[in-house]
Amino acid sequence: MGINDENRIVETYELRLSADELLELESVIRADWNALSEPCPKCQGTEFNHLRYEGGHYGHHEDGVVQRTDYWDQKGSLYTACKSCDEVLYKHPAYDLLEQWSDHYVK
């Protein structure tokens, strides 16, 4: 299911965790905003709450652990919202999984 206006695309997904438990995930994309270097299209704010993921290939060299960026590294955004007006500018559906996990398991 998707909700579209001229600048905001919202899609919802359902993830069945068990026969009795259904989790709703949401994706948000603002078509009029592209990067943290741009102001918020709603209020022109320039500070953001931003969560990203980073993964990579790690190995050992002598006695230390090193990240091997010559093999595999992965980075990306999960969530961005304007600090001034709380407008969600980008949200990956995986953000809802992390939020649900932290609400359920991290207390």
Side-chain angles (χ1 to χ4, degrees), residues 25-45:
L25 309 175
E26 180 182 72
S27 168
V28 176
I29 298 173
R30 287 288 304 233
D32 56 350
W33 184 82
N34 295 309
L36 294 167
S37 60
E38 295 181 4
C40 171
K42 184 174 179 184
C43 74
Q44 301 305 305

Side-chain angles (χ1 to χ4, degrees), residues 45-95:
T46 57
E47 295 199 17
F48 307 98
N49 291 322
H50 182 70
L51 178 68
R52 58 184 298 207
Y53 64 88
E54 182 175 350
H57 178 101
Y58 291 83
H60 288 261
H61 179 72
E62 297 176 3
D63 292 332
V65 176
V66 294
Q67 182 179 12
R68 297 288 306 267
T69 58
D70 56 329
Y71 282 111
W72 176 81
D73 65 337
Q74 183 68 38
K75 298 175 185 172
S77 296
L78 290 174
Y79 179 84
T80 305
C82 178
K83 282 188 71 75
S84 298
C85 68
D86 291 326
E87 177 73 10
V88 175
L89 302 170
Y90 177 81
K91 183 169 86 162
H92 190 282
Y95 179 79

